[in-house]
Amino acid sequence: VQLQESGPGLVKPSQTLSLTCTVSGGSLTAYPYYWSWIRQPPGKGLEWMGDTVYSGSAYYNPSLKSRVSISRDTSNNQITLHLRSVTPEDTAVYYCARRETNISIYDIWGQGTQVTVSS
C-alpha cells in the first residue's frame, strides 16, 4: 500500500485548504483500517487532524472540528482534507497515514506535502 498527498503548496489566509491523498494497493473500505490526516508545523510535534474509517464514518480533532472535514472517493481511492479559514498557524507539512482499529501506531505514511499559508 502506498499513500501520496497532493495539493497546493501556498494558500492565502482565510481561504480553504484542500489536500488529496491517493491510496494505491489498498481499499478505503477495507476493514480494519483508519485513514488519517496528520500535520507537523515547523518546530512542533505531530498533530492528528482527523480520520475517515473503513465504514465511512469520520472523526475530527476537537480543536479543529469547526474548520476541518474529510471526504472520501471510494471509486478513485482518494481521501480529501478540507481546512477552512486558514491562518499562518496552519503552515505545516501535511501527511496522510493508515492505522488499524484499536492500534495507535500508523503503519503506512505518505511522503508529506508542505503547505504554507501566506498572503
Side-chain angles (χ1 to χ4, degrees):
V1 177
Q2 292 185 320
L3 309 180
Q4 178 67 58
E5 304 92 345
S6 60
L10 179 65
V11 183
K12 296 185 185 300
S14 80
Q15 291 185 338
T16 294
L17 167 66
S18 294
L19 296 174
T20 296
C21 175
T22 300
V23 178
S24 57
S27 171
L28 295 178
T29 59
Y31 178 86
Y33 297 112
Y34 282 44
W35 307 88
S36 306
W37 283 100
I38 298 163
R39 68 180 180 179
Q40 185 168 30
K44 298 185 179 180
L46 295 170
E47 178 183 32
W48 170 72
M49 301 183 72
D51 296 324
T52 181
V53 184
Y54 57 88
S55 62
S57 299
Y59 304 96
Y60 302 112
N61 185 324
S63 69
L64 298 171
K65 191 173 183 179
S66 64
R67 298 197 294 132
V68 69
S69 62
I70 297 174
S71 60
R72 70 177 192 173
D73 178 350
T74 55
S75 296
N76 292 308
N77 242 16
Q78 293 178 327
I79 59 173
T80 300
L81 171 75
H82 304 281
L83 183 65
R84 296 176 289 275
S85 303
V86 298
T87 71
E89 286 66 41
D90 294 309
T91 294
V93 178
Y94 286 74
Y95 298 93
C96 57
R98 188 189 79 169
R99 68 177 178 91
E100 293 186 21
T101 304
N102 298 323
I103 297 177
S104 60
I105 297 173
Y106 292 91
D107 63 344
I108 297 175
W109 292 74
Q111 66 182 26
T113 187
Q114 171 70 48
V115 175
T116 300
V117 180
S118 174
S119 56

